[in-house]
Amino acid sequence: MIYNDDELLQLDYIDKLRKLIYEKEQKLGRKLTCQVTTFGCQMNARDSEKILGILKSVGFEEKIDEADDADFVIYNTCTVRDNANQRVYGRLGALKSHKKKNKEMKIALCGCMMQEPSVIEKIKKSYPFVDLVFGTHNIFSFPELLLRTYVENKQVIEIWDSTDKVVERLPVARKYKFKSGVNIMFGCNNFCTYCIVPYVRGRERSRRHEEIIEEIKRLADDGVKEVMLLGQNVNSYGNNLDNEVSFPELLKMVEEVEGIERIRFMTSHPKDLSDELIEVMANSKKICKHIHLPLQSGSTEVLRRMNRRYTKEQYLALVEKIRKAMPDISITTDIIVGFPGETYEDVLETIDVIKKAKYDNAFTFIYSKRTDTPAASMPDQVPLEDVKKHFDMVLSTVQEMAKERTARFENRVVRVLCEEINEQDDSYLDGRMSSNTVVHFKGDSSMIGSFVNVKLTKCHGFYYDGDVVD
Ligand code: 5AD
Ligand code: SF4
């Protein structure tokens, strides 16, 4: 593998850390343990795999339980909605008492929430027992920061405003052997007026397709069968690079990688979804028949104030075009209820789209005011009482429609990737269909990571029961 200078530097810090952790082990007469807790989206989940990969490679053992009492505890935070922030503060309180009992314990915070200056102020003032804080732009320098935390023995806080570095070849500890996320781009340029992501993740930056394909080939060699291409807006892939391939072209290249059997991607902005993408998906045997297409609101007026740059009619026309090319496709979405100025009539428009678009699933969120976003200072913030009423209306429509739509698969035999043991009953497995729908069926751990044909016997709305038929 050819490393760049930044990667070489961090690999050197990894070597130094290995020695330091080994010495600690000798002194304590035991292994040091670590825990990585992830809040938020798939991108954060992927970042956590990178953090865990580094911790393991320097000698930490992963502690897998609920108690936050390992020797190194790190929260990879999210700040898309305020409730994620509150959960972090809540758990930090409990960490303080664990730290009193374990003198070796180090506490670290990273991720999107750390890119907010007000959060850093609060940590400095009220959480002096936190040892290390870093943000989204310098996650690649985690080995260096970890070493500093142990050597300097004082609170290390390092936040960058942006970065142009792409450091992707450090150790990674994948949660699943057989599937993996792959970052194809970072950041977002869309500035939807409610959203804090462009401020905490920075401007859009795509990785070169050669690097992406190289990573996917390495993953395939390592047993990965399914990749999820990750970006805030994958449809604008390549826009910031000269002569870069388009997203549909990139998909075609991924399709060529031997060993990869399924390709997923997340997330598509409706304004940029091209006919070329629809065509590539329709003709592909590997690209899953699922598209996550965030609606946010069905009211053209609310969409305008959200800066989404499409109308209700344009969105519905796009859904129709996708369904015409792939009648069986599963479409999922995100919806926000309670955006400033949203009226009862606006909510009815959203409900109308839900009925017409026939989603397989929809994530419905209550609008959360995020500091310094344009929507935070818009007039007519909707009273919570109305928001709750509207939220219940939207949620029940989503559930009703999703149940109806998902039921189309009943009695069919579908190809399922076996993913994990069912939490409630260990004689069952959970797997996923191409549509991303979860299926429960009898099986054992030897089947995890393989594909089986499953007859879908009963639809429970968002998931199925089934029986393996081969
Ligand atoms: N309030 C509520 N939901 C939000 N999302 C993004 N920002 C906010 C906010 N301020 C939702 C959007 C997005 C998903 C990842 O999170 O629906 O698609
Ligand atoms: Fe946020 Fe809009 Fe970018 Fe998605 S596309 S991350 S909602 S600004």
Side-chain angles (χ1 to χ4, degrees), residues 80-81 194-195 294 296 334-336 365-368 370:
V80 161
R81 289 169 291 277
Y194 51 80
C195 187
Q296 313 301 3
D334 292 339
I335 294 165
I336 296 176
F365 305 109
I366 287 184
Y367 167 72
S368 171
R370 309 312 291 128

Side-chain angles (χ1 to χ4, degrees), residues 188 190-192 194-195 197-198 232 269 296 308:
C188 182
N190 288 311
F191 291 94
C192 301
Y194 51 80
C195 187
V197 168
Q232 297 294 347
H269 195 305
Q296 313 301 3
R308 291 293 288 175

